[in-house]
PDB file of all heavy atoms in Angstrom:
ATOM      1  N   GLY A 214      93.874  97.590 108.072  1.00 92.00           N
ATOM      2  CA  GLY A 214      93.782  97.438 106.643  1.00 92.00           C
ATOM      3  C   GLY A 214      92.968  98.606 105.941  1.00 92.00           C
ATOM      4  O   GLY A 214      91.999  99.089 106.518  1.00 92.00           O
ATOM      5  N   TRP A 215      93.488  98.950 104.780  1.00 95.00           N
ATOM      6  CA  TRP A 215      92.888 100.049 103.975  1.00 95.00           C
ATOM      7  C   TRP A 215      91.894  99.394 102.957  1.00 95.00           C
ATOM      8  O   TRP A 215      92.063  98.313 102.466  1.00 95.00           O
ATOM      9  CB  TRP A 215      93.889 100.837 103.306  1.00 95.00           C
ATOM     10  CG  TRP A 215      94.822 101.642 104.085  1.00 95.00           C
ATOM     11  CD1 TRP A 215      96.130 101.366 104.384  1.00 95.00           C
ATOM     12  CD2 TRP A 215      94.437 102.859 104.815  1.00 95.00           C
ATOM     13  NE1 TRP A 215      96.652 102.369 105.239  1.00 95.00           N
ATOM     14  CE2 TRP A 215      95.688 103.280 105.562  1.00 95.00           C
ATOM     15  CE3 TRP A 215      93.319 103.571 104.979  1.00 95.00           C
ATOM     16  CZ2 TRP A 215      95.704 104.359 106.343  1.00 95.00           C
ATOM     17  CZ3 TRP A 215      93.332 104.682 105.770  1.00 95.00           C
ATOM     18  CH2 TRP A 215      94.569 105.114 106.502  1.00 95.00           C
ATOM     19  N   THR A 216      90.885 100.241 102.595  1.00 96.00           N
ATOM     20  CA  THR A 216      90.008  99.899 101.458  1.00 96.00           C
ATOM     21  C   THR A 216      89.948 101.164 100.577  1.00 96.00           C
ATOM     22  O   THR A 216      89.699 102.291 101.045  1.00 96.00           O
ATOM     23  CB  THR A 216      88.640  99.477 101.871  1.00 96.00           C
ATOM     24  OG1 THR A 216      88.738  98.302 102.657  1.00 96.00           O
ATOM     25  CG2 THR A 216      87.787  99.183 100.649  1.00 96.00           C
ATOM     26  N   LEU A 217      90.061 100.984  99.283  1.00 96.00           N
ATOM     27  CA  LEU A 217      89.895 102.104  98.304  1.00 96.00           C
ATOM     28  C   LEU A 217      88.665 101.689  97.443  1.00 96.00           C
ATOM     29  O   LEU A 217      88.617 100.623  96.862  1.00 96.00           O
ATOM     30  CB  LEU A 217      91.127 102.303  97.476  1.00 96.00           C
ATOM     31  CG  LEU A 217      92.363 102.899  98.198  1.00 96.00           C
ATOM     32  CD1 LEU A 217      93.535 102.897  97.175  1.00 96.00           C
ATOM     33  CD2 LEU A 217      92.016 104.312  98.614  1.00 96.00           C
ATOM     34  N   ASP A 218      87.765 102.633  97.247  1.00 96.00           N
ATOM     35  CA  ASP A 218      86.595 102.401  96.363  1.00 96.00           C
ATOM     36  C   ASP A 218      86.656 103.524  95.307  1.00 96.00           C
ATOM     37  O   ASP A 218      86.750 104.685  95.602  1.00 96.00           O
ATOM     38  CB  ASP A 218      85.237 102.492  97.077  1.00 96.00           C
ATOM     39  CG  ASP A 218      84.981 101.290  97.915  1.00 96.00           C
ATOM     40  OD1 ASP A 218      85.488 100.203  97.607  1.00 96.00           O
ATOM     41  OD2 ASP A 218      84.337 101.465  98.968  1.00 96.00           O
ATOM     42  N   PHE A 219      86.484 103.072  94.045  1.00 95.00           N
ATOM     43  CA  PHE A 219      86.388 103.984  92.910  1.00 95.00           C
ATOM     44  C   PHE A 219      85.088 103.692  92.150  1.00 95.00           C
ATOM     45  O   PHE A 219      84.873 102.632  91.680  1.00 95.00           O
ATOM     46  CB  PHE A 219      87.550 103.860  91.981  1.00 95.00           C
ATOM     47  CG  PHE A 219      88.881 104.111  92.573  1.00 95.00           C
ATOM     48  CD1 PHE A 219      89.575 103.099  93.216  1.00 95.00           C
ATOM     49  CD2 PHE A 219      89.434 105.475  92.650  1.00 95.00           C
ATOM     50  CE1 PHE A 219      90.831 103.367  93.796  1.00 95.00           C
ATOM     51  CE2 PHE A 219      90.669 105.677  93.231  1.00 95.00           C
ATOM     52  CZ  PHE A 219      91.350 104.692  93.892  1.00 95.00           C
ATOM     53  N   GLY A 220      84.201 104.773  92.146  1.00 91.00           N
ATOM     54  CA  GLY A 220      82.852 104.618  91.443  1.00 91.00           C
ATOM     55  C   GLY A 220      81.778 104.153  92.482  1.00 91.00           C
ATOM     56  O   GLY A 220      82.007 103.803  93.575  1.00 91.00           O
ATOM     57  N   THR A 221      80.556 104.098  91.855  1.00 90.00           N
ATOM     58  CA  THR A 221      79.357 103.640  92.632  1.00 90.00           C
ATOM     59  C   THR A 221      78.629 102.661  91.725  1.00 90.00           C
ATOM     60  O   THR A 221      78.852 102.621  90.523  1.00 90.00           O
ATOM     61  CB  THR A 221      78.499 104.820  93.048  1.00 90.00           C
ATOM     62  OG1 THR A 221      78.075 105.585  91.864  1.00 90.00           O
ATOM     63  CG2 THR A 221      79.201 105.744  94.015  1.00 90.00           C
ATOM     64  N   SER A 222      77.676 101.988  92.225  1.00 87.00           N
ATOM     65  CA  SER A 222      76.869 101.060  91.501  1.00 87.00           C
ATOM     66  C   SER A 222      76.287 101.803  90.208  1.00 87.00           C
ATOM     67  O   SER A 222      75.868 102.939  90.344  1.00 87.00           O
ATOM     68  CB  SER A 222      75.702 100.565  92.318  1.00 87.00           C
ATOM     69  OG  SER A 222      74.972  99.550  91.600  1.00 87.00           O
ATOM     70  N   PRO A 223      76.405 101.148  89.034  1.00 90.00           N
ATOM     71  CA  PRO A 223      76.575  99.741  88.777  1.00 90.00           C
ATOM     72  C   PRO A 223      77.984  99.265  88.522  1.00 90.00           C
ATOM     73  O   PRO A 223      78.149  98.104  88.135  1.00 90.00           O
ATOM     74  CB  PRO A 223      75.731  99.546  87.467  1.00 90.00           C
ATOM     75  CG  PRO A 223      75.957 100.846  86.778  1.00 90.00           C
ATOM     76  CD  PRO A 223      75.998 101.889  87.822  1.00 90.00           C
ATOM     77  N   PHE A 224      79.002 100.098  88.809  1.00 93.00           N
ATOM     78  CA  PHE A 224      80.390  99.653  88.607  1.00 93.00           C
ATOM     79  C   PHE A 224      81.324 100.232  89.587  1.00 93.00           C
ATOM     80  O   PHE A 224      81.430 101.503  89.691  1.00 93.00           O
ATOM     81  CB  PHE A 224      80.799 100.004  87.174  1.00 93.00           C
ATOM     82  CG  PHE A 224      82.233  99.704  86.880  1.00 93.00           C
ATOM     83  CD1 PHE A 224      82.766  98.456  87.167  1.00 93.00           C
ATOM     84  CD2 PHE A 224      83.083 100.658  86.379  1.00 93.00           C
ATOM     85  CE1 PHE A 224      84.113  98.095  86.939  1.00 93.00           C
ATOM     86  CE2 PHE A 224      84.400 100.371  86.107  1.00 93.00           C
ATOM     87  CZ  PHE A 224      84.908  99.120  86.409  1.00 93.00           C
ATOM     88  N   VAL A 225      81.926  99.354  90.338  1.00 94.00           N
ATOM     89  CA  VAL A 225      82.830  99.814  91.411  1.00 94.00           C
ATOM     90  C   VAL A 225      84.142  99.005  91.272  1.00 94.00           C
ATOM     91  O   VAL A 225      84.186  97.831  91.089  1.00 94.00           O
ATOM     92  CB  VAL A 225      82.237  99.593  92.810  1.00 94.00           C
ATOM     93  CG1 VAL A 225      83.292 100.030  93.898  1.00 94.00           C
ATOM     94  CG2 VAL A 225      80.929 100.322  92.986  1.00 94.00           C
ATOM     95  N   ILE A 226      85.249  99.698  91.391  1.00 95.00           N
ATOM     96  CA  ILE A 226      86.594  99.102  91.501  1.00 95.00           C
ATOM     97  C   ILE A 226      86.912  99.204  92.963  1.00 95.00           C
ATOM     98  O   ILE A 226      87.050 100.314  93.482  1.00 95.00           O
ATOM     99  CB  ILE A 226      87.615  99.762  90.662  1.00 95.00           C
ATOM    100  CG1 ILE A 226      87.302  99.591  89.164  1.00 95.00           C
ATOM    101  CG2 ILE A 226      89.034  99.134  90.886  1.00 95.00           C
ATOM    102  CD1 ILE A 226      88.267 100.341  88.219  1.00 95.00           C
ATOM    103  N   ARG A 227      87.195  98.096  93.601  1.00 96.00           N
ATOM    104  CA  ARG A 227      87.546  98.108  95.010  1.00 96.00           C
ATOM    105  C   ARG A 227      88.857  97.391  95.281  1.00 96.00           C
ATOM    106  O   ARG A 227      89.082  96.319  94.717  1.00 96.00           O
ATOM    107  CB  ARG A 227      86.451  97.412  95.849  1.00 96.00           C
ATOM    108  CG  ARG A 227      86.688  97.358  97.310  1.00 96.00           C
ATOM    109  CD  ARG A 227      85.491  96.747  98.050  1.00 96.00           C
ATOM    110  NE  ARG A 227      84.266  97.599  97.905  1.00 96.00           N
ATOM    111  CZ  ARG A 227      83.159  97.231  97.136  1.00 96.00           C
ATOM    112  NH1 ARG A 227      83.173  96.079  96.520  1.00 96.00           N
ATOM    113  NH2 ARG A 227      82.231  98.147  97.049  1.00 96.00           N
ATOM    114  N   MET A 228      89.724  97.920  96.085  1.00 95.00           N
ATOM    115  CA  MET A 228      90.985  97.290  96.438  1.00 95.00           C
ATOM    116  C   MET A 228      91.149  97.359  97.906  1.00 95.00           C
ATOM    117  O   MET A 228      90.871  98.400  98.541  1.00 95.00           O
ATOM    118  CB  MET A 228      92.187  97.783  95.640  1.00 95.00           C
ATOM    119  CG  MET A 228      92.283  99.393  95.640  1.00 95.00           C
ATOM    120  SD  MET A 228      93.583  99.985  94.476  1.00 95.00           S
ATOM    121  CE  MET A 228      92.637  99.583  92.942  1.00 95.00           C
ATOM    122  N   TYR A 229      91.609  96.308  98.551  1.00 94.00           N
ATOM    123  CA  TYR A 229      91.690  96.310  99.985  1.00 94.00           C
ATOM    124  C   TYR A 229      92.730  95.223 100.462  1.00 94.00           C
ATOM    125  O   TYR A 229      93.150  94.310  99.664  1.00 94.00           O
ATOM    126  CB  TYR A 229      90.335  96.000 100.659  1.00 94.00           C
ATOM    127  CG  TYR A 229      89.670  94.766 100.276  1.00 94.00           C
ATOM    128  CD1 TYR A 229      89.824  93.635 101.085  1.00 94.00           C
ATOM    129  CD2 TYR A 229      88.910  94.681  99.155  1.00 94.00           C
ATOM    130  CE1 TYR A 229      89.136  92.404 100.704  1.00 94.00           C
ATOM    131  CE2 TYR A 229      88.258  93.506  98.747  1.00 94.00           C
ATOM    132  CZ  TYR A 229      88.437  92.370  99.577  1.00 94.00           C
ATOM    133  OH  TYR A 229      87.744  91.224  99.257  1.00 94.00           O
ATOM    134  N   ASP A 230      93.182  95.394 101.724  1.00 93.00           N
ATOM    135  CA  ASP A 230      94.066  94.526 102.351  1.00 93.00           C
ATOM    136  C   ASP A 230      93.418  93.274 102.793  1.00 93.00           C
ATOM    137  O   ASP A 230      92.829  93.207 103.840  1.00 93.00           O
ATOM    138  CB  ASP A 230      94.751  95.258 103.533  1.00 93.00           C
ATOM    139  CG  ASP A 230      95.900  94.535 104.163  1.00 93.00           C
ATOM    140  OD1 ASP A 230      95.936  93.343 104.079  1.00 93.00           O
ATOM    141  OD2 ASP A 230      96.843  95.267 104.581  1.00 93.00           O
ATOM    142  N   LYS A 231      93.453  92.258 101.951  1.00 90.00           N
ATOM    143  CA  LYS A 231      92.754  90.929 102.244  1.00 90.00           C
ATOM    144  C   LYS A 231      93.310  90.238 103.436  1.00 90.00           C
ATOM    145  O   LYS A 231      92.596  89.644 104.226  1.00 90.00           O
ATOM    146  CB  LYS A 231      92.824  90.092 100.972  1.00 90.00           C
ATOM    147  CG  LYS A 231      91.997  88.792 101.107  1.00 90.00           C
ATOM    148  CD  LYS A 231      90.525  89.068 101.101  1.00 90.00           C
ATOM    149  CE  LYS A 231      89.714  87.789 101.079  1.00 90.00           C
ATOM    150  NZ  LYS A 231      88.206  88.043 101.133  1.00 90.00           N
ATOM    151  N   ALA A 232      94.675  90.282 103.567  1.00 87.00           N
ATOM    152  CA  ALA A 232      95.247  89.526 104.663  1.00 87.00           C
ATOM    153  C   ALA A 232      94.788  90.095 105.980  1.00 87.00           C
ATOM    154  O   ALA A 232      94.498  89.322 106.905  1.00 87.00           O
ATOM    155  CB  ALA A 232      96.837  89.669 104.555  1.00 87.00           C
ATOM    156  N   LYS A 233      94.766  91.459 106.151  1.00 88.00           N
ATOM    157  CA  LYS A 233      94.380  92.044 107.461  1.00 88.00           C
ATOM    158  C   LYS A 233      92.895  91.817 107.638  1.00 88.00           C
ATOM    159  O   LYS A 233      92.484  91.589 108.789  1.00 88.00           O
ATOM    160  CB  LYS A 233      94.725  93.466 107.402  1.00 88.00           C
ATOM    161  CG  LYS A 233      96.260  93.717 107.524  1.00 88.00           C
ATOM    162  CD  LYS A 233      96.647  95.177 107.683  1.00 88.00           C
ATOM    163  CE  LYS A 233      98.074  95.440 107.825  1.00 88.00           C
ATOM    164  NZ  LYS A 233      98.430  96.908 107.907  1.00 88.00           N
ATOM    165  N   GLU A 234      92.071  91.925 106.598  1.00 87.00           N
ATOM    166  CA  GLU A 234      90.637  91.640 106.728  1.00 87.00           C
ATOM    167  C   GLU A 234      90.431  90.214 107.312  1.00 87.00           C
ATOM    168  O   GLU A 234      89.629  90.068 108.188  1.00 87.00           O
ATOM    169  CB  GLU A 234      89.947  91.745 105.381  1.00 87.00           C
ATOM    170  CG  GLU A 234      88.455  91.507 105.423  1.00 87.00           C
ATOM    171  CD  GLU A 234      87.918  90.943 104.120  1.00 87.00           C
ATOM    172  OE1 GLU A 234      88.449  89.934 103.621  1.00 87.00           O
ATOM    173  OE2 GLU A 234      86.930  91.440 103.655  1.00 87.00           O
ATOM    174  N   GLN A 235      91.103  89.187 106.797  1.00 81.00           N
ATOM    175  CA  GLN A 235      90.924  87.839 107.214  1.00 81.00           C
ATOM    176  C   GLN A 235      91.469  87.638 108.595  1.00 81.00           C
ATOM    177  O   GLN A 235      90.904  86.875 109.373  1.00 81.00           O
ATOM    178  CB  GLN A 235      91.566  86.927 106.237  1.00 81.00           C
ATOM    179  CG  GLN A 235      90.865  86.895 104.830  1.00 81.00           C
ATOM    180  CD  GLN A 235      89.471  86.371 104.919  1.00 81.00           C
ATOM    181  OE1 GLN A 235      89.183  85.279 105.271  1.00 81.00           O
ATOM    182  NE2 GLN A 235      88.562  87.279 104.547  1.00 81.00           N
ATOM    183  N   GLU A 236      92.579  88.320 108.911  1.00 81.00           N
ATOM    184  CA  GLU A 236      93.128  88.210 110.338  1.00 81.00           C
ATOM    185  C   GLU A 236      92.128  88.658 111.335  1.00 81.00           C
ATOM    186  O   GLU A 236      91.936  88.056 112.398  1.00 81.00           O
ATOM    187  CB  GLU A 236      94.419  89.049 110.434  1.00 81.00           C
ATOM    188  CG  GLU A 236      95.683  88.329 109.908  1.00 81.00           C
ATOM    189  CD  GLU A 236      96.944  89.231 110.235  1.00 81.00           C
ATOM    190  OE1 GLU A 236      96.738  90.451 110.384  1.00 81.00           O
ATOM    191  OE2 GLU A 236      97.952  88.622 110.314  1.00 81.00           O
ATOM    192  N   GLN A 237      91.438  89.721 111.045  1.00 80.00           N
ATOM    193  CA  GLN A 237      90.363  90.260 112.060  1.00 80.00           C
ATOM    194  C   GLN A 237      89.254  89.325 112.183  1.00 80.00           C
ATOM    195  O   GLN A 237      88.591  89.304 113.229  1.00 80.00           O
ATOM    196  CB  GLN A 237      89.963  91.578 111.492  1.00 80.00           C
ATOM    197  CG  GLN A 237      90.962  92.735 111.618  1.00 80.00           C
ATOM    198  CD  GLN A 237      90.491  94.071 111.066  1.00 80.00           C
ATOM    199  OE1 GLN A 237      89.483  94.521 111.427  1.00 80.00           O
ATOM    200  NE2 GLN A 237      91.172  94.530 110.030  1.00 80.00           N
ATOM    201  N   LYS A 238      89.023  88.425 111.221  1.00 74.00           N
ATOM    202  CA  LYS A 238      87.983  87.387 111.322  1.00 74.00           C
ATOM    203  C   LYS A 238      88.485  86.059 111.886  1.00 74.00           C
ATOM    204  O   LYS A 238      87.775  85.064 112.025  1.00 74.00           O
ATOM    205  CB  LYS A 238      87.380  87.121 110.018  1.00 74.00           C
ATOM    206  CG  LYS A 238      86.661  88.391 109.402  1.00 74.00           C
ATOM    207  CD  LYS A 238      86.087  88.091 108.020  1.00 74.00           C
ATOM    208  CE  LYS A 238      85.437  89.358 107.382  1.00 74.00           C
ATOM    209  NZ  LYS A 238      84.915  89.022 106.046  1.00 74.00           N
TER     210      LYS A 238
END
């Protein structure tokens, strides 16, 4: 699964493969 981060604190847009993240758990 991929994760993309745009920005740093105090504001971040994050998008990721939720299905694969949960499968690994």
